[in-house]
Amino acid sequence: MKNRYHYLLALSGFALLAGCTQDKKAGQEAAKAISADEIKSHIAVLADDSLMGRKPFTAGETKATAYIASEFKKAGLEPGNNGSYFQDVPMVEITSTPSATMQISGKSSMSLAPLTDFVTFSRQEIDSVQLKNSPLVFAGYGVVAPEYHWNDYAGLDVKGKTVVVLVNDPGFKNGDPTFFKGDTMTYYGRWTYKYEEAARQGAAGVLIIHQTEPASYGWEVVSNSNTGAKLYLTQKDKHLSRCKVEGWVTENAGKKLLAAAGITGDIRALARKKDFKAIPLNMNVSLSIKNKLKYSTSHNVIGTLKGSTQPDEYVLYSAHWDHLGIGKPDAKGDSVYNGAVDNASGVAAIISVAKAFQQAKDKPKRSIVFLAVTAEEQGLLGSEYYATHPIYSLNKTIADLNMDALGNYGETKDIAITGKGQNDLEDYVAEIAKQDGLTLIGDRHPGSGSYYRSDHFNFAKQGVPALDINNGSDSKTHGAGYGEQQQKEYGDNRYHQPADNYSADMDATGMAQIADILFRVGTKLSNESTFPGWKNGSEFKEVRDKALVK
């Protein structure tokens, strides 16, 4: 939908001046209400050992969600769910244990070992599943993308079969930036999509061949993330519409499978050929999985500030409150995964933004919704539940402004927009960046598909324009490259590790910088009468356009 707001600004110099004045005023108010010290004070509570790593279904959840609700109340927010600050999120915890080996028979025979060669699991809510002599088919990237005239399943019947597919999409390292989106991953490249599409096609099983560069992470991330207990949203059909078996195989194991069928060389180049057709491997796979099921309910936390004149239209702020709980001790003996940056920082920021709105002299015309969601670390589950069970109509939700893992290395001269080029919300950030003398940058590693890896994505899937921004790498105090160095240090040593702790020395000024920008974006959105839209070429544009016609 075209944004009439920008059109009117182009026509009216007076409106432009008024808009800039309003932005500066909002920025001044935010500076008073949003402070680095306040953000740090919330992180100190949320990342304390007493919260046990904020894992869903634990006492740590109870403490974390109670604290967030109390802070929403202190900020003057009304309970967001019919008199309650909580939205129930029913989930099932499934602990999948695969058989001792994955047996391959037929043209060639081989035996693959768990963790060393593969990881598999099942989200079907039953005690056990089995693949017995399921025919293996190499389905390229496993993509059906009509807008790119691409269908790896064309003419292929995979019922009862197990598909073997590649991670990422055909555009990655293809050399043509117009083919798919070049090195920028589309949703078709995400592992979640591979599983969804294989299920839609009726496959019994789906195995993704891991490769580090196109996945953007090593095999250890795959193996650590897909073993032990996993959480899923409960479904009426008990997930029986999904493949019996989902999983990954190592690059070596995948190439071994394909080589046994005569497929050698650059398998990615083969699969991205426009005349590629799925290839039966003339081998069968046999594997069983035993599931241990546990049902429970987690919670999203939600508070609202009612709009003065357009209360039935909503600007949404989101951040996930959960982390990984208590796990394997590190070298120092610390076993609590506190998630100070990931994502106590985002929750602290939205609490501060809520306070800023409440203290603002001019109250927003549209309603502002603050949503702290559960189980992001388990697959964006809390935001998925809200997006599919919205308390406030998504057709009337103007935008989702998400905050996740904000930089703890101070203010930067540049601001990073995740998935840059997706929607009109970036233009709002651009206006503020210009006022503040900041440079906008996109993903540093576009092939990693960062836009599909945090909670804003679930709103994008439903057509709601969604924005996720973070600090750049050009430090205001330490110079260019400092931020990237700090990001690498965090990624190497603290991301999803017990070392992601709160420290009194933590520099939260960059977190306040992001919160301030998103407060100003939300202020502008809350006082308009128009809707931002998706840019041409976005895979989410059609969904929104159809939704707003209803």
Side-chain angles (χ1 to χ4, degrees), residues 316-320 350 371-373 400-403 455-456 459:
L316 176 67
Y317 285 87
S318 62
H320 73 90
I350 67 168
L371 179 67
V373 296
D400 171 53
L401 308 177
N402 188 60
M403 284 182 262
D455 293 300
H456 58 279
F459 296 98

Side-chain angles (χ1 to χ4, degrees), residues 530-542:
T530 52
F531 284 59
W534 295 93
K535 295 184 182 296
N536 290 330
S538 170
E539 57 265 55
F540 309 110
K541 186 177 188 301
E542 185 178 358

Side-chain angles (χ1 to χ4, degrees), residues 253-540:
K255 286 185 173 181
K256 189 177 178 181
L257 278 174
L258 298 183
I263 304 170
T264 58
D266 188 343
I267 55 176
R268 303 189 69 80
L270 169 67
R272 72 166 66 99
K273 289 182 177 179
K274 294 187 176 180
D275 60 351
F276 172 80
K277 300 292 183 184
I279 304 170
L281 299 184
N282 297 317
M283 292 180 287
N284 302 322
V285 59
S286 295
L287 174 81
S288 62
I289 295 176
K290 291 184 178 179
N291 287 333
K292 180 181 178 182
L293 309 176
K294 176 186 175 183
Y295 292 89
S296 193
T297 300
S298 188
H299 302 87
N300 292 332
V301 189
I302 185 166
T304 60
L305 179 62
K306 191 173 182 179
S308 60
T309 62
Q310 297 154 255
D312 61 344
E313 295 179 354
Y314 312 95
V315 177
L316 176 67
Y317 285 87
S318 62
H320 73 90
W321 60 255
D322 68 297
H323 201 54
L324 302 177
I326 297 175
K328 182 180 178 181
D330 62 12
K332 297 179 180 179
D334 187 1
S335 62
V336 183
Y337 290 66
N338 286 310
V341 168
D342 185 15
N343 184 37
S345 66
V347 175
I350 67 168
I351 292 172
S352 294
V353 170
K355 180 180 176 183
F357 270 107
Q358 189 58 246
Q359 293 183 352
K361 181 179 178 181
D362 298 321
K363 299 306 178 187
K365 295 178 181 179
R366 286 167 162 163
S367 295
I368 314 294
V369 179
F370 296 88
L371 179 67
V373 296
T374 182
E376 189 270 356
E377 303 290 6
Q378 302 288 333
L380 316 183
L381 301 184
S383 56
E384 179 184 349
Y385 188 81
Y386 182 91
T388 53
H389 301 78
I391 296 171
Y392 303 103
S393 170
L394 295 186
N395 287 357
K396 296 285 188 173
T397 299
I398 310 305
D400 171 53
L401 308 177
N402 188 60
M403 284 182 262
D404 192 357
L406 305 181
N408 67 334
Y409 46 87
E411 291 187 74
T412 54
K413 298 177 184 178
D414 50 349
I415 299 299
I417 296 179
T418 308
K420 192 171 184 287
Q422 283 281 6
N423 58 57
D424 295 340
L425 298 176
E426 298 168 21
D427 301 335
Y428 291 64
V429 178
E431 288 181 15
I432 293 170
K434 185 176 181 181
Q435 293 166 22
D436 294 356
L438 302 173
T439 301
L440 294 187
I441 60 174
D443 295 333
R444 295 173 192 80
H445 308 287
S448 67
S450 296
Y451 194 76
Y452 315 107
R453 295 169 67 172
S454 190
D455 293 300
H456 58 279
F457 169 59
N458 280 318
F459 296 98
K461 280 180 79 173
Q462 301 296 326
V464 177
L467 178 70
D468 183 81
I469 67 173
N470 214 313
N471 306 93
S473 59
D474 191 356
S475 169
K476 285 189 175 182
T477 55
H478 299 286
Y482 177 80
E484 189 155 356
Q485 175 190 336
Q486 294 299 306
Q487 290 163 2
K488 185 178 187 306
E489 187 278 330
Y490 176 78
D492 291 346
N493 302 314
R494 289 182 287 140
Y495 174 66
H496 283 193
Q497 299 295 326
D500 188 2
N501 287 317
Y502 168 78
S503 168
D505 297 329
M506 176 183 287
D507 187 347
T509 57
M511 299 176 183
Q513 180 184 29
I514 295 300
D516 164 55
I517 291 171
L518 289 182
F519 169 71
R520 291 155 71 183
V521 171
T523 297
K524 195 161 201 170
L525 289 167
S526 70
N527 289 301
E528 294 177 351
S529 60
T530 52
F531 284 59
W534 295 93
K535 295 184 182 296
N536 290 330
S538 170
E539 57 265 55
F540 309 110

Side-chain angles (χ1 to χ4, degrees), residues 27-237:
Q28 292 168 352
E29 291 178 343
K32 296 176 183 177
I34 298 175
S35 74
D37 286 343
E38 182 186 15
I39 287 175
K40 283 175 64 174
S41 72
H42 294 308
I43 295 175
V45 175
L46 291 166
D48 189 80
D49 279 357
S50 64
L51 271 69
M52 305 161 56
R54 304 191 308 276
K55 189 173 183 178
F57 297 177
T58 68
E61 165 172 354
T62 303
K63 291 180 179 180
T65 55
Y67 177 77
I68 297 165
S70 69
E71 291 302 313
F72 280 178
K73 186 175 182 179
K74 285 181 187 177
L77 302 184
E78 298 176 3
N81 185 19
N82 298 312
S84 173
Y85 285 104
F86 304 103
Q87 180 187 35
D88 290 350
V89 182
M91 293 193 286
V92 57
E93 180 184 84
I94 304 180
T95 305
S96 292
T97 304
S99 50
T101 59
M102 178 188 290
Q103 293 295 332
I104 307 298
S105 60
K107 185 175 182 179
S108 292
S109 296
M110 62 188 79
S111 181
L112 304 181
L115 296 182
T116 304
D117 298 313
F118 74 89
V119 292
T120 53
F121 46 90
S122 178
R123 69 182 72 208
Q124 293 195 354
E125 297 171 45
I126 51 180
D127 293 337
S128 63
V129 297
Q130 184 179 37
L131 295 177
K132 188 173 182 180
N133 294 321
S134 174
L136 288 164
V137 181
F138 178 50
Y141 290 90
V143 168
V144 178
E147 68 272 36
Y148 296 111
H149 308 290
W150 196 270
N151 187 351
D152 285 322
Y153 287 96
L156 182 63
D157 181 3
V158 295
K159 289 181 175 58
K161 300 175 183 178
T162 295
V163 292
V164 179
V165 298
L166 300 173
V167 72
N168 215 308
D169 62 44
F172 184 72
K173 299 302 180 184
N174 162 69
D176 180 358
T178 65
F179 183 47
F180 278 67
K181 289 188 178 179
D183 288 348
T184 298
M185 184 191 287
T186 66
Y187 183 55
Y188 297 116
R190 282 289 285 158
W191 56 268
T192 48
Y193 168 81
K194 313 286 183 179
Y195 295 156
E196 292 165 356
E197 189 59 51
R200 281 191 287 268
Q201 297 292 330
V206 51
L207 299 171
I208 301 173
I209 298 176
H210 173 264
Q211 291 176 302
T212 297
E213 186 181 21
S216 81
Y217 40 77
W219 176 253
E220 68 281 357
V221 174
V222 175
S223 59
N224 289 341
S225 301
N226 292 289
T227 53
K230 292 171 66 67
L231 294 178
Y232 305 97
L233 298 178
T234 56
Q235 300 291 345
K236 289 182 179 179
D237 73 345

